[in-house]
């Protein structure tokens, strides 16, 4: 049976939206491949890890968008594995991705996708595409959650090598809410989180420095 | 002496990076320049806890040199990021600093040119300048980075400046004189 490694690249690890998205992808794989999850933010980047990754048939990198691109720990992983694969000649796995941007626009993931493509081009991983999500945390609690599951299912089919008429490599989805409404909801959530800690809206704007 | 405050955050850990770092420091000899080398400092990853948003607003709960870096960024008129280029992106050492710079912004959203972003905590007219180096890289990579740096400037509420790129073997001093000379005019 073919092997799929799921690389969770979120600092929040098991509590991350990325983990929930990987869970949905895994449901889509549905025992067609052997799967295993690796949490990059708690794993040492050593030869044993890279050997395991290179031996897999496919990998999925799932991470949040941090400051317009990939989180530092994910870049560190890419730096280290690129040094490792430079010395080898065997075929590398297919690389898929799940990117989750906290802002409502899934298009904000574009720079991160281009960086992953560049990584593939320079190292020899095959870029298989993936899913770009906007407003991940909110979407999974919305009426669009099912649609996210469907896109991940379609991606799972592609990973499993099932032919699809779809020529699209990257699926995109967001919560589909007016920006000002999203802003109001998000701001309210932070105000309430602050209030639980005894802080006012003004406190949250504090100039510490 | 020029009163503009400049902060240089550098990740240089090899000879190529060191040479560029030294030339930038020399160029800004007459300015109020603060330098941090994030490869030499022990900086932890952002843990995504968001305490800086709703528990200790504006302040990261991890105690390290990031406190000084953030203070310098807040007080600065220009932020220069000198980073090795990795796949059209910053190095992980530099990105770690950027990931930890979230306290620079409020948790509240604003809409800039039709796109949702965070609201600056310390609004001020600042420049974000990036200098990227690697032994070799192609035009496509430079383009990917240019796009990323443009987005970063929106995020940091700073004026974007075209990145400057250094390949191995270039005349660093000359390029810096031309590029930063124009910038500071």
């Amino acid at each position: 049976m073919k092997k799929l490694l799921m690389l969770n690249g979120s600092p929040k690890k098991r509590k991350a939206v990325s983990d929930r998205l990987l869970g949905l992808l895994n449901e889509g794989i549905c025992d067609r491949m052997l799967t295993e999850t690796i949490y990059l933010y708690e794993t040492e980047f050593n030869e044993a890890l890279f050997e395991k990754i290179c031996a897999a048939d496919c990998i999925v990198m799932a991470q949040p968008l941090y400051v317009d691109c990939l989180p530092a720990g994910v870049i560190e992983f890419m730096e280290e594995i690129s040094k490792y694969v430079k010395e080898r000649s065997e075929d590398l796995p297919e690389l898929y991705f799940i990117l989750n941007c906290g802002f409502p626009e899934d298009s904000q993931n574009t720079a991160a996708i281009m960086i992953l493509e560049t990584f593939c081009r320079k190292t020899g991983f095959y870029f298989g595409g993936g899913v770009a999500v906007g407003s991940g945390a909110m979407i999974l609690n919305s009426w669009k959650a099912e649609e996210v599951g469907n896109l991940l299912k379609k991606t799972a089919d592609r990973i499993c090598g099932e032919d699809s008429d779809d020529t699209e490599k990257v699926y995109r989805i967001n919560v589909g809410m007016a920006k000002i409404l999203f802003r109001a909801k998000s701001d309210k959530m932070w105000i309430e989180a602050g209030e639980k800690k005894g802080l006012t809206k003004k406190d949250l704007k504090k100039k510490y420095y | 002496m020029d009163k503009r405050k400049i902060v240089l955050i550098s990740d240089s850990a090899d000879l190529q990076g060191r040479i560029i770092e030294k030339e930038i420091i020399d160029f800004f000899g007459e300015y109020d320049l603060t330098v941090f080398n994030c490869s030499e400092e022990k900086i932890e990853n952002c843990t995504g806890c968001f305490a800086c948003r709703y528990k200790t607003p504006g302040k990261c709960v991890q105690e390290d040199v990031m406190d000084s870096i953030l203070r310098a960024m807040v007080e600065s008129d220009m932020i220069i990021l000198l980073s090795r280029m990795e796949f059209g992106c910053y190095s992980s050492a530099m990105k770690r600093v950027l990931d930890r710079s979230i306290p620079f912004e409020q948790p509240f959203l604003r809409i800039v040119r039709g796109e949702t972003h965070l609201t600056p905590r310390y609004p001020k007219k600042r420049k974000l300048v990036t200098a990227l180096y690697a032994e070799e890289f192609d035009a496509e990579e430079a383009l990917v980075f240019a796009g990323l740096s443009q987005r970063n400037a929106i995020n940091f509420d700073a004026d974007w400046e075209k990145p400057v790129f250094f390949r191995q073997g270039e005349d660093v001093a000359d390029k810096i004189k031309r590029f930063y000379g124009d910038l500071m005019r």
Side-chain angles (χ1 to χ4, degrees):
Chain A
M1 199 181 250
K2 286 194 168 184
K3 184 145 194 205
L4 167 67
L5 285 181
M6 304 197 287
L7 309 183
N8 176 321
S10 170
K12 285 159 83 174
K13 298 175 270 196
R14 289 161 191 81
K15 287 183 187 161
V17 171
S18 297
D19 210 51
R20 291 172 66 189
L21 295 170
L22 277 176
L24 291 169
L25 181 83
N26 202 13
E27 279 174 29
I29 297 288
C30 192
D31 299 329
R32 285 179 288 176
M33 285 174 101
L34 281 174
T35 62
E36 184 185 337
T37 308
I38 292 169
Y39 293 87
L40 292 180
Y41 271 78
E42 62 181 29
T43 305
E44 202 190 317
F45 301 148
N46 57 25
E47 223 170 288
L49 174 73
F50 299 149
E51 212 167 288
K52 189 173 177 174
I53 289 172
C54 292
D57 297 285
C58 301
I59 62 173
V60 181
M61 294 175 66
Q63 55 273 308
L65 195 75
Y66 265 33
V67 195
D68 303 305
C69 55
L70 303 164
V74 175
I75 299 169
E76 190 181 348
F77 163 74
M78 286 157 58
E79 287 167 354
E80 295 305 318
I81 199 167
S82 75
K83 287 180 210 154
Y84 174 85
V85 301
K86 210 178 255 177
E87 313 292 321
R88 340 215 109 217
S89 56
E90 70 252 47
D91 279 349
L92 294 173
E94 295 172 18
L95 186 152
Y96 297 83
F97 74 84
I98 300 172
L99 265 159
N100 168 40
C101 165
F103 298 122
E105 302 89 8
D106 55 78
S107 57
Q108 294 210 35
N109 290 305
T110 303
I113 298 170
M114 288 169 89
I115 290 163
L116 287 172
E117 280 188 279
T118 307
F119 169 75
C120 289
R121 182 163 59 80
K122 296 200 92 176
T123 53
F125 283 85
Y126 169 79
F127 182 74
V131 184
V133 182
S135 50
M138 213 179 270
I139 205 170
L140 289 176
N141 298 319
S142 80
W143 59 277
K144 271 197 151 182
E146 200 183 320
E147 212 175 307
V148 177
N150 289 339
L151 290 183
L152 287 163
K153 167 88 173 57
K154 270 164 85 174
T155 306
D157 289 345
R158 292 210 7 246
I159 293 172
C160 292
E162 269 181 31
D163 283 337
S164 128
D165 312 329
D166 221 334
T167 50
E168 205 64 57
K169 264 190 165 180
V170 178
Y171 302 124
R172 298 167 191 277
I173 186 163
N174 63 56
V175 75
M177 183 189 289
K179 289 177 207 299
I180 48 166
L181 183 59
F182 180 92
R183 182 178 66 186
K185 274 179 178 263
S186 172
D187 287 0
K188 184 164 168 270
M189 188 198 84
W190 289 113
I191 291 167
E192 285 170 0
E195 277 168 354
K196 280 189 194 146
K197 301 286 166 195
L199 299 170
T200 63
K201 182 178 179 183
K202 200 174 156 223
D203 292 334
L204 300 190
K205 295 181 175 183
K206 183 180 167 180
K207 288 183 165 65
Y208 178 82
Y209 296 108
Chain B
M1 191 171 150
D2 197 302
K3 281 202 182 73
R4 282 176 283 185
K5 278 181 189 270
I6 299 162
V7 53
L8 168 64
I9 306 170
S10 152
D11 73 348
S12 71
D14 62 5
L15 189 62
Q16 190 189 9
R18 288 283 177 203
I19 290 170
I20 302 165
E21 184 188 282
K22 187 190 165 292
E23 292 292 345
I24 294 177
I25 294 170
D26 284 355
F27 180 88
F28 288 104
E30 297 292 307
Y31 292 84
D32 182 350
L33 175 73
T34 313
V35 184
F36 296 96
N37 188 307
C38 56
S39 293
E40 284 170 5
E41 307 278 358
K42 175 91 185 110
I43 299 173
E44 295 296 332
N45 275 315
C46 173
T47 64
C49 76
F50 288 128
C52 60
R53 290 194 176 172
Y54 73 101
K55 288 185 187 167
T56 54
K59 168 88 177 77
C60 179
V61 290
Q62 302 193 69
E63 301 281 350
D64 58 20
V65 72
M66 272 312 297
D67 186 58
S68 312
I69 295 180
L70 278 168
R71 184 180 296 279
M73 281 170 67
V74 167
E75 290 169 356
S76 73
D77 298 290
M78 182 164 122
I79 301 165
I80 306 176
L81 307 175
L82 171 62
S83 173
R84 165 180 289 283
M85 175 136 78
E86 300 282 1
F87 320 113
C89 186
Y90 302 95
S91 69
S92 59
M94 179 60 65
K95 188 61 192 353
R96 198 163 291 126
V97 172
L98 298 181
D99 286 358
R100 289 279 306 281
S101 300
I102 295 296
F104 203 64
E105 286 147 330
Q106 297 177 4
F108 302 116
L109 300 177
R110 62 184 177 134
I111 294 164
V112 186
R113 277 170 258 152
E115 222 179 51
T116 315
H117 291 278
L118 293 169
T119 306
R121 197 179 286 275
Y122 306 96
K124 183 180 179 180
K125 201 111 183 103
R126 281 189 199 85
K127 273 191 206 304
L128 183 69
V129 180
T130 46
L132 274 281
Y133 63 93
E135 291 80 43
E136 49 88 30
F137 51 85
D138 50 40
E140 222 176 308
E141 255 183 288
L143 212 61
V144 171
F145 181 80
L148 170 61
S149 70
Q150 233 163 353
R151 303 197 59 81
N152 288 155
I154 301 172
N155 226 326
F156 283 94
D157 192 39
D159 287 335
W160 178 73
E161 290 295 336
K162 214 166 83 183
V164 58
F165 298 102
F166 298 93
R167 286 182 176 84
Q168 189 77 274
E170 274 188 88
D171 185 345
V172 174
D174 179 62
K175 202 163 187 174
I176 284 176
K177 244 178 238 141
R178 276 189 289 124
F179 182 79
Y180 291 99
D182 283 350
L183 201 64
M184 301 311 288
R185 198 165 291 143

